[in-house]
Every structure is written in C-alpha cells, then in structure tokens.
Amino acid sequence: MGLFTKDIKTMDDLFVHQLQDIYYAEKQLVKAIPKMADKATDATLKQGFMTHLAETKVHVQRLEQVFEMHGAAVKAVDCPAIDGIIEEAEEVAGEVDDKSVLDAALINAAQAVEHYEITRYGSLVAWAKQLGRNDCAAVLQKTLDEEKATDKKLTTLAESKINLRAAG
Ligand SMILES: [Fe+2]
Ligand SMILES: [Fe+2]
C-alpha cells in the first residue's frame, strides 16, 4: 500500500490486497510456529503449537483456493504487522530464562498472532459476502473458526495451569 504500489481503488482491490497480506502472514507463521513449539516446555502447549502448525498449512492452501476462486493471482505482499509480532515473540522468548515463565510468554505471543488473524479474517469474510462472494466467505470462515478455537484453547491452557506455574 506504499507510494509506488498500485492504488487500492475499489472494495474488490481492498479484498484482494488483504488476501495477499494474510497470505504472507500465514506463510511466515508456517516458519515461525515450529520455533515457538521448540521453545515450549509444557507438553500440551508444545502439542498445541504443532496442531496449529498443521492447521496453518491448510490456511495457506485455503487462501490459494480463494485467490483462484476469485480469479486473482496467488501473491503475497509484505505484512509488517505480522513481522513485528513474530519479531517481538522471538525477542521476548530470548529474554526469559525461567521455563515456566517462558511458556506464559509464548502463549501471550501466540495469542497476539491469533488475534491479528481473527481481525483480518473477520474483515475478509464480511467483505467477501458484501462482494457477493459467499463461496469465498465460506472458505475463509473455516479458517476464522480455527483461529478463534486456537485462541480459546490458549486462554484455557494459560488460565488452567501455565500462569499458575509461571507465578509459582
Ligand atoms: Fe492462520
Ligand atoms: Fe492462527
């Protein structure tokens, strides 16, 4: 969306641009999630990361499917927001020594990622419907549901044991 890129003129342009943005984000996450899983100590958290990695690979495929359904080229555009969230997660993880505290920090970072995805997919679903692309909306909704479910699981995990252990 910078000075030298093509202007976004229509709602359709905006929809496609946001697809490209989240496509970049999902592909970065396929690389970042295994590193977060490596750092996690709690077995449930580690497994949770691996489960969501598998889902994230499907999110990439679904986006490719939506590009195709919408007749747009499969393309990624840099998304500084997700780069920042991932960078911060790696920085914080590097600064936390205590393994239990690190698990709490990893959950916090993972939830920042999920919330980012939820906002993006929420708009994409709404825009797809507005553009008369209920077929695209249905595919994007599947991913949105998985991001929301992951966020809920992380909250439950944090509140049921990880935060307690980190504080103890
Ligand atoms: Fe995702
Ligand atoms: Fe996600």
Side-chain angles (χ1 to χ4, degrees), residues 26 29 52 56 59 113-114 117 147:
E26 294 282 20
L29 289 168
H52 199 52
T56 299
H59 299 172
V113 170
E114 295 316 307
E117 292 182 294
E147 313 292 18

Side-chain angles (χ1 to χ4, degrees), residues 7-106:
D7 287 338
I8 294 169
K9 295 188 184 78
T10 64
M11 182 82 173
D12 193 82
D13 295 339
L14 185 63
F15 176 67
V16 172
H17 178 85
Q18 210 58 259
L19 279 177
Q20 295 169 343
D21 175 292
I22 196 72
Y23 184 56
Y24 172 88
E26 294 282 20
K27 292 213 294 185
Q28 292 303 105
L29 289 168
V30 167
K31 291 186 256 175
I33 295 173
K35 294 187 206 163
M36 293 172 86
D38 269 354
K39 287 177 190 144
T41 302
D42 180 85
T44 314
L45 180 57
K46 211 180 251 294
Q47 184 52 51
F49 277 126
M50 296 319 287
T51 301
H52 199 52
L53 173 63
E55 287 175 344
T56 299
K57 289 177 181 169
V58 177
H59 299 172
V60 170
Q61 291 168 4
R62 283 196 192 121
L63 286 168
E64 289 165 355
Q65 189 189 340
V66 171
F67 276 119
E68 214 161 293
M69 287 161 81
H70 198 58
V74 176
K75 188 188 147 195
V77 291
D78 283 3
C79 169
I82 200 72
D83 284 338
I85 292 171
I86 293 170
E87 199 180 307
E88 191 190 60
E90 285 171 358
E91 246 175 57
V92 170
E95 284 165 10
V96 181
D97 251 357
D98 184 299
K99 296 289 176 204
S100 303
V101 177
L102 178 57
D103 279 349
L106 287 169

Side-chain angles (χ1 to χ4, degrees), residues 82-144:
I82 200 72
D83 284 338
I85 292 171
I86 293 170
E87 199 180 307
E88 191 190 60
E90 285 171 358
E91 246 175 57
V92 170
E95 284 165 10
V96 181
D97 251 357
D98 184 299
K99 296 289 176 204
S100 303
V101 177
L102 178 57
D103 279 349
L106 287 169
I107 289 184
N108 176 247
Q111 286 194 286
V113 170
E114 295 316 307
H115 284 230
Y116 177 78
E117 292 182 294
I118 289 165
T119 62
R120 293 310 197 196
Y121 280 107
S123 297
L124 280 168
V125 168
W127 293 346
K129 287 179 183 165
Q130 193 60 48
L131 291 166
R133 297 308 310 247
N134 285 338
D135 53 344
C136 296
V139 175
L140 294 163
Q141 182 70 49
K142 285 188 217 168
T143 298
L144 178 57

